[in-house]
Amino acid sequence: MVANPFTSLLEQSEPATASGYADHPPRMGFFTDTSVCIGCKACEVACKEWNHVPEDGLVFTGMSYDNTVGLGADTWRHVAFIEQRKPLGQQVTGHGDAGIRWLMASDVCKHCTHAACLDVCPTGALFRTEFATVVVQEDVCNGCGYCIPACPYGVIDQRQGDGRAWKCTLCYDRLGVGAEPACAKACPTDSIQFGVLEELRERADNRLSQLHGAGVADARLYGRDPDDGVGGDGAFFLLLDEPEVYGLPPDPVVTTRDLPEMWRRVAVAAALVAGAVALGFARSVT
Amino acid sequence: MGTSFGRGGATTFQQDLQNADCILIEGSNMAECHPVGFQWVMEAKARGATLIHVDPRYTRTSAVADMHVPIRAGSDIAFLGGIVNYVIGHDAYFHDYVVAFTNAPTIVSGDFVDTEDLDGVFSGLDAEQRSYDPSSWQYEGATVQASSGQREQEPDTRVAEQQGSPGSHSGEHQPSVSGSGRGTTHGSGGAPVPSSVERDETLQHPRCVFQIVKRHFSRYTPEMVEEICGIPQDLFLEVCRTVAENSGRERTTALAYAVGWTQHTVGAQYIRTAAILQLLLGNIGRPGGGILALRGHASIQGSTDIPTLYNLLPGYIPMPHAHRDEDLDMFIEGASTAKGYWGGMRSYLVSLLKAWWGPHATEANDYCFDYLPRLTGSHGTYETVMAQMDGGCKGYFVVGENPAVGSANAKMQRLGMANLDWLVVRDFSLIESATWWKDGPEIETGELATEDIGTEVFFFPAAAHTEKNGSFTNTQRMLQWHHAAVEPGGDARSDLWFYYHLGRRIRQKLAGSTDEMDRPLLELQWDYPTEGSVTEPSADAVLAEINGWDAEGRPLTSYEQLDEDGSTACGCWIYCGVYATGVNQASRRKPGREQSWVAPEWGWAWPANRRIIYNRASADRDGKPWSERKAYVWWDEDEAKWVGHDVPDFDPAKSPWHRPPAGATGAQALAGDDAFVMQGDGKAWLYVPAGLTDGPLPAHYEAQDSPFPNLLYPHQQRNPVRQVFSRRHNRYHPNPSQPGSDVFPYVLTTYRLTEHHTAGGMSRWLAYLSELQPEMFCEVSPELAAERGLEHNGWATVITARGAIEARVLVTDRMRPLTVQGRVLHQIGLPYHWGPNGYARGDAANELAGLSLDPNCHIQEVKAMTGDIRPGRRPRGAARVELVEEYIRRAGITADTGMEARGGR
Amino acid sequence: MSETELAKGGQEYPRPGREALVGAHTGRREPGPERRGEQPMVPEAEFRSYYGKPIINKPVWQSPDIPGYLFLGGLAGASSVMAAGAQLTGRRGLARVAKVGAAASAGLSGVALVHDLGRPGRFLNMLRTFKPTSPMSVGSWILASFGPAAMAAAASDLTGIAPGLGAVATAGAAVLGPPLATYTAALIANTAVPAWHDAHREMPFVFASSAVTSAAGLALLAAPASECGPARLLGSVGGAAELATGRLMEHRMGMAAEAFSEGKAASLHKGAQVSLAAGVLASLAARRSRIAGRVAGILLLAGSALTRFAIFEAGMASARDPRYTVVPQRRRLQERAGNGGPNRTG
Ligand SMILES: Nc1nc2c(c(=O)[nH]1)N[C@H]1C(S)=C(S)[C@@H](COP(=O)(O)OP(=O)(O)OC[C@H]3O[C@@H](n4cnc5c(=O)[nH]c(N)nc54)[C@H](O)[C@@H]3O)O[C@H]1N2
Ligand SMILES: Nc1nc2c(c(=O)[nH]1)N[C@H]1C(S)=C(S)[C@@H](COP(=O)(O)OP(=O)(O)OC[C@H]3O[C@@H](n4cnc5c(=O)[nH]c(N)nc54)[C@H](O)[C@@H]3O)O[C@H]1N2
Ligand code: SF4
Ligand code: SF4
Ligand code: SF4
Ligand code: SF4
Ligand code: SF4
Ligand SMILES: [Mo]
């Protein structure tokens, strides 16, 4: 399973292959079509139930109907609620000229093609599965916390009182037995679609043109593009506004993309340290 | 819906929504309250259907709708009446359907006087008695049959779920006098309607139903709708156009509602208006059409079918009344109909009695008819609460409900319980109804002291549905079986266990008694096999009994097999067939992809596993589908029978051209085009000549507490026969034109959130749900927040004459101020899930609600109230009571406020 | 117009799945001309976020553990080089201070690192694998080799036991020292934290100078003044370089630099600059004044430490405020779009 560590940074390859799986199932992922989300949060609850994720606080936030705030160690699915004074496509409302719309979107770990969390994990606790998803091994993680700031999406986090890092496993245990992830299973409107990533991308493209054709000009795909800063997301989205409105970074880049350069500079700097000190002594000798 | 169509259940099933061209959701927040069923709305939308949501708030349903229409809570009759007026005025009604299947052509008695001519009330009002004498509402030439069974079958109250139908399976139940709760004596069960009535199929006769309806709604103009509902005319007209254009021969519109319509003092008439609209548009009995009454609790349909209601026996057979139904014959005479399937009443009842008393029930003793309890009045939950407070009711079982939070006027609920000898609560957790005596709000305010309360409270832990076998009857009349996954832990037991063993022990105690009074108990068939380590009675055996068997003990397959000679036994005639061939049909789970889209082999739906009822109406008079794209059930000439995607709701062999022989009764009396087979005239009723307590047609009345005068009927503010109770803790707000009315300037409405369930017993104790909505909050518009200095995320106190609660403030654009009668109206949204116990806590919205009930269904009006709001938390202790008193004083409220039957404004 | 066809044969059309056209207004009437569709009334504000909530999760690393670790690693690394230099040039006192300093700070930094782990007991899992994509993995291996070497060197020096081995250890630590001093720049820059990542080009040099500064500071503080010639030189050069590279870093990191001028980071940053400037001056003066040397030592140590704390805090602040993530990324997108490049959110 040990492969060239930088392959995933350098190449546009199938991540499972890059991780050394000779024979593996197709890459699985999510297409979350937020335009049909009804904000029921069944996905949030199903995820917690299935994965025994602990409850993490009763706080009334006033953020519309979102009292979960964001993804973290104890929230692997998070439904965002956004109220806006503008119309949703051609929707007719009695809400004056400005109109009104209420966007809802269920967020999750992106299972990045180039996953920073996985790249930086010093223990190997994070690993790439045969489905090309990214999973933490809870018996290995030592809670170094590195993956947390590495993730450009703010997904993975450390669990209070436990110390380890937790995030969506894309229901690795369910995939293993041919079952669909719990969140997708629970979603009544199929806003969360689970499947072979290639097929999902195709479906998403069709869906996008369908919506555009219907005059919903705001629709856009997010994380679908394999050329983006993380090599495309294993879990990607159809959004109705800019990503940051949903709490997503507009142009995420896997931090390790710049790591080779950083290493070069670290090396030069290290040489400078050695050189400077040497020179210091040399000068003082003369 | 019972009165309009014949049965009090949803006419269609949720999967059929996918066939709709337009879906109007009004009075329901379907995406939030029925998220799983909502997938079929989304599927319809995927096929291009238009979704319209009419709701005071922009909700999660509105968010995905094509149109959201903000409406003033409590004004839907004006809105729907406006659409009816549009449809008639623009000749947009489906003429052939209306003539064929509704009572539009029927001529009404000359004695009938409409609200239009009687200052806002119908003929027959006895203001003193707060009731109508409906005799003048009859069809021309129909004689009113006197003194027969009291079909007082309004399902009781909120527990009965309030789907607005007067709940009767037949459409013909008896009007009742709301005050006494006792039915008047007009022919029930459609008896007043002779099987052939005078009809004018040109619809021109000035007294034909069509013309009456047309005149009645002619003042419900777009201007009126705008003034009353706060809906701009262009938006309203767009709804009218959309609905009309998506109905007719080629297209169908479905309508879904729930308790946003039923929880009003004119709730049943909201649904009536919807029924009129859907009938005029030809949308009943057809695919993609219908009215979907979205029901609440998992088996609330089941608990009206085999009722927990005081006034019904299983299968909507009315409960006999004391002193009146001397014997079985008299009862049957009064309760059955001359025409239609209620004609089989004797078979249904005798079979029921045989199921209960077995061999003891013989022809000689009227099949133990005398063993049935008798009604002495109205015993709905709210009357029971009054009886508790007055000392007449001594003991109370609270099983599967949490009245201290979920029932209107929560304080009265608790005060009632505090006046009992004993109280039994069976629940999963220590809900507020079980602990009010030690930590309820009245203990905090000092109105009650634990040591002074004499009630002995017994708490029994209940087993959950995962711990027991049984069935749920869902919103579309479908029974689905659930199997126990585990045995209940600890002392928890199923309700079946509780009642079975309670009965067993009582019978043991009475064994050997020779007292006549004990015979009904001792002779009861009470011998279900038990199983498992907790001696759980077999739910399967109970279902088999409900299904029934013949003299040889063979399971029956259809209620048509039931006999009146005592040879068959059946626990609930409409469920007959659920155990056909000895197989539990409710437990069938054939995957959808392995059967047709109607999925007849998933579970079992009453009646006779039909999914769309009245489906004979999906074909024209000649039995041909109205259109090729809406074929559902049709007459097959070659096979000489009705065929189609569903079980025909019609005698399968009766040709479309069949005419009944003279003198035929019951089902035999139905003609080949009498699609509404339960109705006394075989037709759907646009106009209801009998069966409703508050009028044959819907009229817009303002809510009990309303900030606006009734524009349509300036001399009649409210439903004249609504049920009101003037009590110390149940005061009403001043009429809009009275001084003091401005003390409560805002409209309050209560509702649910996806994240919680009803009174919270099943959600507030669960961490995963509690964290999603952790606290009681109120929803207000930015404009109202500014007007009252409310701070987003801060606290507010909401006050009515009944109580004061605090809530966190959620300022949101989704609450839109409306312009009503020339002024800006703010509405305040209040989810009603919280109470002081559990993991997520908060004040209960029902502390604010008063008791004012719909006279048909006795449902509390909690969807449209008035109140005041101010920033900050509410006072603690006695000061909380003082605050309410101060408002009462300031508003000048007395025991008479809001109590009038006639007039008032 | 709905696609529903319920022919007598049943539903004879493919199930559309859940492709509901939300927002399409599928009514049969065409939307009136007054509908502007998606055009917002007011131009969007430049910056939008989800209720001001951060986009990335902020590091769970604690202060003083982690900034302390950054500082101590630098101190240890540069000191070990200095120890070798001192050894080679026969400055025994300086060598001892540097060796002991290197060993002690390596030890302390190890403690800080383990202390910061969520599961300290699993520290050894760091050595389960070697991953060049993880600076922490690389660093763990460096620290794991450097630590024993530095300790051995110091122990031998202090006890006089096994001087040969001591020399080898000193040499080893001197080789591992510079990477130990600078890899921490990659450690924190290799994250999505704007104030760290966006500084990834200059950070190694800031850390390198800072390491030298601190090692020189320690020497000035604790070593015999007579042997402190190189330390004085390195102190002033290092300090000046730290100031200069720091400036450059801020200048080039773009918007995230603002994180250095707000809140806690700002005070630390100011403190670092003042200490460093004063330390540089003091070390220049130290040639003539012993006291100045000691003062310079303290100032340089403090300046170096404060630099790391400032960087740490600026990173935390930039993680907390979504502006730092959104605005630069959005600008990047706009530039790319302007250049006709692919729109990555598209
Ligand atoms: N998640 C969840 N689901 C549930 C339940 C639950 O508690 N939680 N409860 C179940 C039960 S018991 C029931 S009965 C059903 C109820 O289901 P619904 O009736 O859909 O639920 P509500 O939220 O009570 O009310 C529906 C809507 O009516 C609106 N409304 C209020 N007043 C008026 C009015 O005058 N006119 C109109 N047109 N609309 C009005 C409210 O704003 C609200 O959005 O839900 C069932 N499903
Ligand atoms: N203001 C306002 N008030 C309302 C409404 C509103 O919209 N607004 N809606 C009304 C409506 S529609 C309804 S249905 C009512 C609901 O009000 P209630 O019926 O009073 O409230 P629930 O919380 O549903 O109570 C059901 C209880 O049954 C328990 N339970 C569940 N399963 C079982 C079981 O198998 N056995 C036993 N013994 N117990 C069980 C649960 O734990 C729960 O405590 O509220 C009504 N009140
Ligand atoms: S989204 Fe974050 S946590 Fe998920 S795989 Fe990508 S980098 Fe890792
Ligand atoms: S916290 Fe755990 S999963 Fe994350 S990088 Fe460290 S060891 Fe790996
Ligand atoms: S895939 Fe599984 S672990 Fe991931 S969010 Fe969904 S339910 Fe949770
Ligand atoms: S389950 Fe589906 S519809 Fe519900 S909130 Fe999650 S994504 Fe949205
Ligand atoms: S709670 Fe039960 S009944 Fe309600 S939507 Fe969910 S699955 Fe259906
Ligand atoms: Mo309900």
Side-chain angles (χ1 to χ4, degrees), chain B residues 89 358 417 543 625 716 876:
Chain B
M417 288 190 278
L543 188 72
Q716 184 60 36
R876 312 278 129 178

Side-chain angles (χ1 to χ4, degrees), chain B residues 330-408:
Chain B
M330 278 188 71
F331 175 80
I332 297 293
E333 194 190 320
S336 56
T337 61
K339 177 171 170 178
Y341 279 87
W342 273 116
M345 177 69 92
R346 179 181 282 270
S347 309
Y348 311 151
L349 181 57
V350 168
S351 299
L352 173 68
L353 296 169
K354 284 300 283 183
W356 286 358
W357 284 287
H360 300 287
T362 62
E363 196 181 350
N365 68 2
D366 261 1
Y367 299 100
C368 298
F369 178 69
D370 287 347
Y371 287 5
L372 289 174
R374 297 294 192 272
L375 291 176
T376 56
S378 173
H379 309 295
T381 49
Y382 292 112
E383 275 101 348
T384 304
V385 169
M386 310 292 173
Q388 292 168 352
M389 296 185 72
D390 299 342
C393 169
K394 296 291 182 194
Y396 200 34
F397 284 97
V398 169
V399 181
E401 58 168 333
N402 187 6
V405 170
S407 294

Side-chain angles (χ1 to χ4, degrees), chain C residues 210-238:
Chain C
S210 184
V212 170
T213 311
S214 62
L218 179 66
L220 285 172
L221 182 64
S226 58
E227 294 179 10
C228 273
R232 284 193 293 272
L233 180 61
L234 287 171
S236 48
V237 172

Side-chain angles (χ1 to χ4, degrees), chain B residues 158 161-163 259 296-297 752 758:
Chain B
R158 55 177 199 78
E161 256 339 86
Q162 3 198 305
Q163 297 307 339
V259 300
H297 283 149
R752 294 155 172 74
T758 51

